[in-house]
Amino acid sequence: MKTELDIIAQAGLRYFGRTTASISHELKNALAIIRENAGLMDDYLAMAEKGLPIDMAKFKVLTGRIEGQTRRADGLIKNMNRFAHSVDEPLRKVNLNEMVELLAALSHREAAMRQVGLQVAQCQQPVVLVTAPYLLLTLLGHCLTYALTAVNAGGTIILKVQGDTPGAIVFESLNRLAALPPDAFPDERVTVLAEALGAHYQADSAAGKVGLTLKNLQ
Amino acid sequence: MRVLLVDDEADLASALAERLEMRGIEADWVTTGQEALDRVATRQYDLAVLDVRMPKMGGGEVRDQLQARCPNMKFIFLTGYGSEIDFKEISNRSGEASYLVKPIDIQDLIQRMNELLKPQGEGQ
C-alpha cells in the first residue's frame, strides 16, 4: 500500500524526470542547429578556398542563428540550474512571481507540443511566502499539465499570481476548459501534494480556470 | 536523389537542406507534417527525414500518412533525445525504423540515405 510519502516521492521524481527530459531535448535541438549552421559556414569557407565568392549577407544570417541558439541554450541551462536548486532547502522564502516565471519557462516545450501558448501575469508587488519550493513546483507542474490537457490547440493559458488573494495562483484559459474525465483533476498526486503544502485547489471548467491558494508554512 | 526534410526547427531544416544540396542531393524542407503532405501531393521524393517530436503531428504519424500516399518512400527519423526512447516509440508504432540522434553528422545522414536507397540485392 502506498503511503502519502511514497506518492509525494513518486510525483516529485516523475516531475523531475519529465522536466529534465524536456530541457535536454530542447538543448539537443539548440546544439543541432548550432552544428548544422556552423557546418554550413564551413562549407562556404571551403568554397571560398576554391575561389568561389562568399555571400556575406547569408554568412551573417548563419552567425546570427548561432548566436541566437547559444542564447537559447544558455537560458535553458539557467532555468535547469534554478530548477536543480529548488531542492536545496525543504522550506524557504519563495517569491511566487519568480516561481511562476520558472514554471512557465520549464513548461514551454510541453505547451508548445500541445500548441498552447503560455503567458505570465505577475503581481506588481512581490508575493513572498515560506513554502517547500520543489513540492510547490511539482504541484504547479501537475496542475498546469491538467490545464494544458484541457485547453484546445491554439489556446493560451495565462499564469497569474494574484495580488488581491495572497498566495493565490491561477492558470486561466481564455476559453472554457474541455471536459475531461472527472477523475482527471485532482488526481492522487495533486491531492497529496496540496495537503503537504497546506494548499487549496480548484478547477472550474466553465470559467476555464485551475487555481491554487497557498499557505505560508512558517 | 530527392529528399524532404520535416522539422519544426526551421533554422535546422534549412541549413541541413542547403548542406545536402551542396553535396548533390536535392533537398526541400518544411516545418510541419501538414506541409509535408502538401509537398508530396505536387512533388515526388525518394526519402523523408522526419523529426520525431513535432507539435500537432509527430514524426511517426507523418510517416504513416506519407507512406500511405507514397508507398516507395524511405524514412529516416531524427530524435532530440539522447537515448533510444523516441526510436522505441516509432518502432512500436510501425515496425523497424532508421534513426539518428541530434546533433547529427551530415556524413552519417548521407550514408544512411544511400543505404536505404540502395537497390535491393546490391552489396549482398
Side-chain angles (χ1 to χ4, degrees), chain A residues 100 119-123 158-162 168-172:
Chain A
V100 165
Q119 285 178 18
V120 175
Q122 292 185 335
C123 179
I158 301 169
L159 285 65
K160 279 185 182 170
V161 177
Q162 294 195 317
I169 295 173
V170 173
F171 302 151
E172 190 176 318

Side-chain angles (χ1 to χ4, degrees), chain A residues 21-22 24-25 28-29 31-33 35-37 39-40 43-44 47 58 65 69 72 109 112-113 115, chain B residues 9 11-12 14-16 18-19 22-23 53-56 79-82 86 101-106:
Chain A
S22 169
S24 67
H25 193 275
K28 280 273 196 180
N29 270 331
L31 290 173
I33 295 169
R35 179 162 184 171
E36 239 33 78
N37 283 277
L40 188 50
D43 290 345
Y44 285 166
M47 285 166 61
K58 263 184 148 183
R65 283 180 187 169
Q69 293 302 320
R72 174 187 179 188
R109 183 171 170 78
M113 293 306 288
Q115 297 178 280
Chain B
E9 299 279 5
D11 289 347
L12 173 62
S14 61
L16 193 52
E18 194 170 344
R19 297 192 78 200
M22 285 176 166
R23 287 159 178 78
R53 302 269 174 185
M54 292 184 287
K56 203 168 185 177
T79 165
Y81 279 120
D86 276 344
V101 176
K102 293 178 186 177
I104 60 163
D105 183 314
I106 195 157

Side-chain angles (χ1 to χ4, degrees), chain B residues 56-111:
Chain B
K56 203 168 185 177
M57 212 190 289
E61 191 183 343
V62 177
R63 192 238 326 241
D64 293 349
Q65 297 214 27
L66 287 176
Q67 205 156 42
R69 290 163 171 79
C70 319
N72 295 324
M73 191 182 257
K74 306 290 182 194
F75 300 93
I76 295 172
F77 292 96
L78 302 184
T79 165
Y81 279 120
S83 66
E84 297 190 345
I85 295 169
D86 276 344
F87 174 58
K88 280 180 185 157
E89 196 176 301
I90 293 293
S91 298
N92 290 341
R93 188 183 176 92
S94 39
E96 219 172 290
S98 183
Y99 83 106
L100 291 168
V101 176
K102 293 178 186 177
I104 60 163
D105 183 314
I106 195 157
Q107 291 309 330
D108 289 345
L109 177 62
I110 293 170
Q111 188 185 335

